[in-house]
Amino acid sequence: MAADQVPFESLSDAEVMLRAGADDSAAYEYLVLKFHRPMIAFMYRMCRNQALAEELAQEVFLRVYRSRQTYAAEAKFTTWLYRIATNLAVNHARDHKVERSGKMVSLDEPDEETGTTLDVADQTLNAEQQILRRERLAAIKKQVMALPEKQRAAVLMHKYQGMDYGEIAGSLNLSESATKSLLFRAYEALRERLKEFV
Amino acid sequence: MNCNRENLIEIAAGEQAAPEMLAHLRECSDCAQEVDSMRKTMALLDEWEAPEPSPYFFTRLQAHVREEQTKAPERASIFAWLRKPALALSLALMLVVGGVTYKILLPQIAPPDTGAAADLESLDRNADLLVNADNDLIDEMTGGPSDDVAEP
């Protein structure tokens, strides 16, 4: 079988990215298709705004496209991808001075960006349980948002993106031991601040 | 074994932990309690679900990529370097420095005025005078036309 016909699924993401660098548009589309959902989710949890999350995710994939010819597969593709994403999200937050910790989370009003309420009502829960659930969710969002940027990014990568210490360390430009320590402090803070809900 | 609390995350997250760490947990109730509490916190975080991507995400991204593709040939054009501020600035600086240097050095490059040119010019004028005098003399001898203005 010719090298060109090898299905992308059988290649590493870094190898597919190298193909994209050789102007293989199908390779680029494959990567976008594979990573767009987790990337939007990551951005959403970083900035808590769906429209902005999609905008930032678009910018991440555009940067990937622009850098396709200079990409060197020195680290895992996800490490590189999330380094772009974290830098973008953190810079955006700094530029726009997002007041994370002071942001009030309304339990009843629809989310300002998504137009949805904090959570879709679960029909199996009674009214009181639904209120409690909403309160929990609001507290989770608020406390995750209140973490310092690097801690927040580390927790999101570890908890929701399923990345290991090495990948997180590479994305945040830290050593593995520093990452471990960062994650511990973040989880400790969340454990303390959310203890009434566990 | 001492309590290395940073390692508790791995256990709470269900990742592979060192056997000695697991053994420590069986003996240290503080650490065991912390793992339990950490595990519950992590489970609590699972409740936060991200929304579905908008159906227009790909369409918008494709439009951005097409925009990038149309920009690319422009960048490759002959004057593309002009859009690179560093290159354009370097060129402008080179032109200015070159111009100033030329102005400063020009007087030194020009040959010094020794008076030889003036001498040559006067020789030319003398030669013309001699030729005219010869013509007058010939005209006088032959009775030919004279350039002299007739006396009134």
Side-chain angles (χ1 to χ4, degrees):
Chain A
M1 185 184 270
D4 287 350
Q5 293 169 324
V6 174
F8 295 134
E9 289 80 6
S10 65
L11 300 173
S12 70
D13 295 324
E15 286 170 328
V16 179
M17 186 59 209
L18 289 173
R19 295 266 185 111
D23 274 339
D24 182 344
S25 57
Y28 175 72
E29 281 165 20
Y30 168 83
L31 290 172
V32 173
L33 198 67
K34 182 171 178 180
F35 289 103
H36 82 285
R37 195 177 289 265
M39 181 52 64
I40 294 169
F42 175 73
M43 286 301 197
Y44 171 73
R45 291 187 178 109
M46 279 296 280
C47 68
R48 261 214 61 215
N49 176 321
Q50 191 183 0
L52 180 59
E54 293 209 0
E55 209 176 289
L56 291 173
Q58 295 248 340
E59 185 57 33
V60 170
F61 288 114
L62 261 185
R63 288 185 186 196
V64 168
Y65 183 79
R66 286 184 197 129
S67 316
R68 67 197 186 284
Q69 280 158 348
T70 53
Y71 170 74
E74 286 161 358
K76 278 182 86 170
F77 175 74
T78 42
T79 303
W80 182 65
L81 185 71
Y82 280 94
R83 184 182 290 185
I84 297 173
T86 309
N87 285 340
L88 203 62
V90 169
N91 287 342
H92 184 276
R94 281 180 191 162
D95 290 349
H96 293 81
K97 294 185 172 29
V98 176
E99 292 172 8
R100 291 171 287 111
S101 53
K103 191 162 184 171
M104 294 301 289
V105 180
S106 167
L107 298 180
D108 302 317
E109 287 175 21
D111 189 274
E112 62 192 68
E113 292 299 328
T114 62
T116 58
T117 46
L118 280 171
D119 196 17
V120 179
D122 188 336
Q123 299 303 318
T124 60
L125 303 174
N126 64 33
E128 193 188 356
Q129 286 170 324
Q130 283 189 21
I131 289 169
L132 285 174
R133 190 176 176 215
R134 284 184 173 196
E135 274 181 8
R136 267 201 317 271
L137 197 53
I140 293 166
K141 291 178 181 183
K142 187 180 174 188
Q143 295 310 332
V144 171
M145 288 299 286
L147 291 173
E149 280 144 357
K150 272 198 173 177
Q151 285 189 25
R152 182 156 38 111
V155 165
L156 296 183
M157 286 183 210
H158 183 256
K159 178 74 194 105
Y160 299 104
Q161 311 305 120
M163 291 165 71
D164 60 33
Y165 289 133
E167 290 173 291
I168 300 169
S171 299
L172 297 178
N173 224 2
L174 296 171
S175 67
E176 279 198 34
S177 60
T179 304
K180 210 171 188 179
S181 178
L182 187 79
L183 268 173
F184 177 73
R185 289 201 304 277
Y187 278 123
E188 270 291 281
L190 290 174
R191 189 174 71 96
E192 185 57 34
R193 293 170 194 170
L194 294 170
K195 64 183 173 193
E196 64 179 294
F197 297 101
V198 295
Chain B
M1 185 185 176
N2 293 329
C3 299
N4 186 348
R5 296 170 69 215
E6 287 182 4
N7 287 334
L8 299 180
I9 297 172
E10 287 163 289
I11 300 168
E15 293 161 15
Q16 205 169 16
E20 57 267 31
M21 194 63 213
L22 293 172
H24 171 74
L25 271 190
R26 283 193 287 272
E27 294 161 6
C28 180
S29 60
D30 282 351
C31 283
Q33 207 174 345
E34 179 142 358
V35 165
D36 184 50
S37 172
M38 196 85 87
R39 206 173 269 153
K40 284 176 181 160
T41 306
M42 287 180 180
L44 183 70
L45 294 178
D46 282 335
E47 288 193 29
W48 188 8
E49 289 170 7
E52 282 295 301
S54 111
Y56 306 109
F57 183 82
F58 280 109
T59 317
R60 285 208 304 270
L61 183 61
Q62 277 168 351
H64 286 312
V65 169
R66 272 198 299 275
E67 223 171 274
E68 284 292 316
Q69 286 165 342
T70 53
K71 272 187 206 166
E74 275 178 43
R75 284 194 190 120
S77 75
I78 196 163
F79 296 114
W81 55 271
L82 272 174
R83 290 191 197 93
K84 294 178 181 169
L87 265 179
L89 191 70
S90 308
L91 186 75
L93 208 64
M94 272 168 61
L95 285 171
V96 169
V97 170
V100 169
T101 312
Y102 183 72
K103 273 275 184 196
I104 291 167
L105 294 179
L106 187 61
Q108 295 167 24
I109 294 165
D113 188 2
T114 57
D119 291 344
L120 285 170
E121 276 173 20
S122 89
L123 278 174
D124 284 344
R125 275 198 303 275
N126 291 343
D128 289 342
L129 284 172
L130 280 171
V131 170
N132 287 339
D134 285 348
N135 288 342
D136 289 346
L137 189 62
I138 291 164
D139 289 341
E140 211 172 290
M141 286 167 67
T142 57
S146 173
D147 287 340
D148 291 345
V149 177
E151 291 287 328

